[in-house]
Amino acid sequence: MAIERTLSIIKPDAVAKNVIGQIYTRFENAGLKVVAARMAQLSRAEAEGFYAVHRERPFFKDLVDFMVSGPVMIQVLEGESAIAKNRELMGATDPKKADKGTIRADFADSIDANAVHGSDAVETANVEVAYFFPALNVYSR
Ligand code: RTP
Ligand code: MG
């Protein structure tokens, strides 16, 4: 077990539903600390760069269209096994398959509009945190 950081995004659908606070409460109740945060309207270039690993996938254009469709809330979460813990809180990519009580089961409508993003491994977490936050703006505590 190690203290990790992970990149979390509350996607446009969940921001539009006004559930930022409810999602933050789940992070806090699971022992994850918000150590950096900002709201942003992503440009196409930013969204394409962020999801570059999916560039060749059939859903790439829909994914980018969705991610630029409204403001997102971007945060770095820190805590014991933060990457896996956040993925557990999120639930499966497809909300129909997500376990009861997970963020996606409770707030997501479809596999495209699925409420949240979370890094999936230490390497991707490091890249994704650096993509949105200069080190100076992350406040470990
Ligand atoms: P995320 O990266 O957003 O945290 O989601 P994830 O790890 O659970 O899923 P991933 O495989 O990384 O896919 C990234 C996002 O692309 C959309 N997607 N659509 N239509 C489809 O088959 C499909 N598959 C993936 C989802 O919005 C997913 O969150
Ligand atoms: Mg992913």
Side-chain angles (χ1 to χ4, degrees):
M1 299 264 269
I3 300 291
E4 296 171 342
R5 286 178 179 172
T6 191
L7 195 276
S8 158
I9 302 177
I10 301 177
K11 296 184 179 183
D13 58 323
V15 172
K17 283 184 181 165
N18 202 25
V19 293
I20 293 172
Q22 292 187 57
I23 293 174
Y24 268 43
T25 297
R26 293 177 183 218
F27 297 151
E28 291 173 354
N29 287 344
L32 296 175
K33 295 177 181 179
V34 177
V35 295
R38 68 184 171 93
M39 187 171 268
Q41 168 64 60
L42 299 183
S43 66
R44 286 200 81 81
E46 275 178 308
E48 287 171 359
F50 182 72
Y51 278 119
V53 291
H54 295 308
R55 196 171 287 277
E56 304 305 325
R57 309 282 285 277
F59 58 79
F60 184 70
K61 185 176 178 295
D62 286 347
L63 175 59
V64 171
D65 286 346
F66 171 64
M67 291 301 286
V68 304
S69 68
V72 295
M73 188 72 196
I74 315 170
Q75 46 282 323
V76 178
L77 305 177
E78 185 180 86
E80 195 75 49
S81 304
I83 297 164
K85 202 175 270 181
N86 181 44
R87 300 279 300 186
E88 221 170 278
L89 294 174
M90 288 163 56
T93 309
D94 181 350
K96 290 198 289 288
K97 296 180 184 153
D99 288 343
K100 256 179 83 177
T102 60
I103 294 169
R104 282 168 167 164
D106 291 345
F107 300 121
D109 297 322
S110 68
I111 193 164
D112 296 304
N114 65 356
V116 279
H117 162 84
S119 309
D120 58 13
V122 173
E123 299 72 36
T124 45
N126 291 339
V127 170
E128 291 178 0
V129 167
Y131 190 82
F132 284 119
F133 294 99
L136 269 177
N137 295 339
V138 180
Y139 301 96
S140 210
R141 59 199 158 80

